[in-house]
Amino acid sequence: MVQATSSHERMSAIPVAVKGSSSHDRMGALPAAITRPSHAIKQAQMMRTPMPLSVEDSIPLPPPAANTVGDTPSGSISYTPAAQTQPGSQAARSTIKVILKPTLEVVRGERLGVSYPILEGKNIIGRTVNQPADIDLTGQERIEQVWTSRQHALISFDGRAMIVEDLKSLNGTFVNRVRLHPGQQRVLQPNDVIQVGTVQIRVLVVAEKIEG
């Protein structure tokens, strides 16, 4: 059986807020290490924090410059420093001069592989009969089939460029299978093939470097 309770007893069961108490007092004080870190904790945190790198420290340094690189027996790379040239020395004043030495090599004829040098100035290609030829192709054709004129073509060389032209030959001059008209000039390039009569000769150029 439920006993009757008075209104005074029912009201006393309601929780009553305590006057004058703040939310901080109700929640309780936070630990001191969180709200107010001590000077010793701050100093310890600063000692553990690394100093920021400067811009120079953050960029990796390139490997040392080398003149020659070789493999050592252990497989690592060894560097040989390049020689330094002092300003005004003889090595600094020296220059390199390139000299071209062109030649003509027979690739079709009776004597394959024969080489003819091209000298500075005018070089006449033909056969030495009554008058000389600088590039004499006598003996490069069969006796029954001689189509090379005595003065067939001309190559002019000024030390840098070679120019070929036909000298009004009977059977014509060809460069890479293209016929040159009499008086027509054409600049020659390395590996060009010139045909005079039945003989084909290839242009070869060797560059020689000389220090001056």
Side-chain angles (χ1 to χ4, degrees), residues 28-40:
L30 296 176
I34 298 177
T35 58
R36 294 185 300 274
S38 63
H39 179 72

Side-chain angles (χ1 to χ4, degrees), residues 86-101:
Q86 297 295 333
S89 63
Q90 184 176 0
R93 294 193 302 268
S94 64
T95 57
I96 298 177
K97 184 178 180 180
V98 178
I99 298 178
L100 301 180
K101 293 185 176 182

